[in-house]
Amino acid sequence: MTQQEAEGDDDEGLKIWPLIEDYCTDVDHEFTARLEAWRPDFAHIHVHEVIGGVLARQATLAKDIARAPALWTGHSAPILLRAMADAYINIAWLLLDPVERCRKFVLFGLGQAKLELEHRRAQIGAREPTPQEAAMLEAGERWIDDQRIGWLLDVDLGKWSSLSVRQMAEEANCIDFYNYVYTPFSACAHSMWHHIARYDLRKCGNPLHRYHRHPTSEASVSDIHYLTLAAKYWSKTLGTFDQAHGFAIPGPSSYETLIDAVTGRRTDPRTE
Ligand SMILES: [Zn+2]
């Protein structure tokens, strides 16, 4: 992003900051409209917490990406977009059988939290924990136990194994999204060779060097295409949520409004 762009006006006359704030306002409206339409069922309040929490996270990620044009690059945007892809696959899978699957989702998370505590205890080992460590361990234990009271009391958290994202995507009928979004963005999120070689190395022009690659850390040009991808995934999440609940909520789509505003700008087909 150039200085001119950072000040709010790029070389194509697009007012970037008003566009970003308009987009974030639209996302807030869409999110609030769902919460108003979606009454909590107190017999299964964990469904409201899990699904609502994932929906909230998706809205927050879309807005965080929107407000950080410096991250609209192939180096950084896919890390956040991969998290959005994860959240989408989660919610699509959870909504197919919310009462049971949200329960599993909570148990899996609590199992992971318990495992973290055990690792921390193992690290402390036989020595006496410091007061800070003791307080941290106790708070962690209490956070888990508070959630087990009532409906989770006798559950052995240890027996819940990892749910494969691929299996979830298959069951939720979004294996294409897994293959074409989740997996490619994982290369960036996990700093794998097929990301590094493309983004962090440049081929040397000297034929005597047999075209080896130089490591390079260069400032990247921001590409608003990454924002449109975040907007697309938020919109896709809303679509799946609305369909599962039979909602037809009126109002302009944040995605369509954004696309209208940036139409004609360059896009990067590698990240479709
Ligand atoms: Zn060289």
Side-chain angles (χ1 to χ4, degrees):
M1 170 149 299
T2 64
Q3 186 63 32
Q4 189 189 14
E5 283 174 316
E7 283 163 5
D9 196 0
D10 77 0
D11 54 0
E12 291 169 48
L14 189 73
K15 298 279 185 195
I16 201 74
W17 289 107
L19 177 148
I20 289 169
E21 283 314 312
D22 285 351
Y23 173 71
C24 293
T25 303
D26 288 349
V27 170
D28 282 335
H29 286 156
E30 288 172 323
F31 178 57
T32 306
R34 267 65 189 185
L35 293 187
E36 281 168 3
W38 187 44
R39 296 281 124 219
D41 171 2
F42 283 94
H44 302 294
I45 197 61
H46 68 293
V47 172
H48 201 259
E49 291 182 347
V50 170
I51 301 288
V54 178
L55 197 66
R57 171 165 171 76
Q58 206 71 317
T60 304
L61 286 174
K63 290 185 292 175
D64 276 4
I65 293 170
R67 290 191 172 118
L71 300 183
W72 299 349
T73 71
H75 299 286
S76 301
I79 301 169
L80 291 160
L81 292 169
R82 219 301 293 258
M84 290 190 81
D86 242 324
Y88 175 76
I89 293 168
N90 283 345
I91 206 168
W93 182 82
L94 292 164
L95 283 168
L96 292 177
D97 182 8
V99 172
E100 182 53 25
R101 289 183 177 183
C102 287
R103 184 172 167 276
K104 273 190 187 172
F105 187 79
V106 169
L107 288 171
F108 179 65
L110 292 181
Q112 292 294 298
K114 201 161 174 60
L115 198 61
E116 272 175 37
L117 274 184
E118 294 314 319
H119 285 151
R120 201 59 81 103
R121 277 207 186 86
Q123 191 187 29
I124 292 166
R127 73 173 167 80
E128 192 67 26
T130 66
Q132 289 90 342
E133 286 169 337
M136 184 273 297
L137 291 172
E138 203 206 312
E141 202 66 67
R142 205 182 318 122
W143 186 81
I144 294 168
D145 284 345
D146 282 352
Q147 296 175 70
R148 297 178 70 186
I149 290 168
W151 58 286
L152 293 174
L153 203 56
D154 297 323
V155 172
D156 172 12
L157 294 179
K159 81 181 171 116
W160 292 93
S161 61
S162 177
L163 298 164
S164 140
V165 179
R166 182 173 221 292
Q167 279 172 330
M168 288 168 74
E170 267 170 355
E171 288 181 25
N173 205 20
C174 56
I175 195 69
D176 281 357
F177 191 69
Y178 176 86
N179 286 334
Y180 301 127
V181 175
Y182 180 92
T183 304
F185 285 160
S186 298
C188 175
H190 295 302
S191 303
M192 294 164 80
W193 172 244
H194 53 306
H195 175 83
I196 302 267
R198 287 178 183 135
Y199 285 91
D200 304 288
L201 299 173
R202 290 282 169 273
K203 204 169 255 181
C204 169
N206 187 340
L208 297 177
H209 291 180
R210 298 168 62 200
Y211 301 105
H212 74 118
R213 288 172 276 209
H214 288 290
T216 177
S217 175
E218 300 159 19
S220 285
V221 175
S222 292
D223 189 338
I224 202 166
H225 178 59
Y226 289 108
L227 169 57
T228 67
L229 289 179
K232 190 198 278 187
Y233 305 159
W234 164 242
S235 166
K236 193 174 164 67
T237 305
L238 284 179
T240 299
F241 177 87
D242 288 352
Q243 195 184 14
H245 295 97
F247 292 154
I249 292 173
S253 145
S254 61
Y255 177 60
E256 283 166 20
T257 307
L258 178 74
I259 293 298
D260 285 349
V262 300
T263 295
R265 288 177 63 84
R266 188 176 62 80
T267 56
D268 181 351
R270 282 174 306 181
T271 51
E272 266 304 325

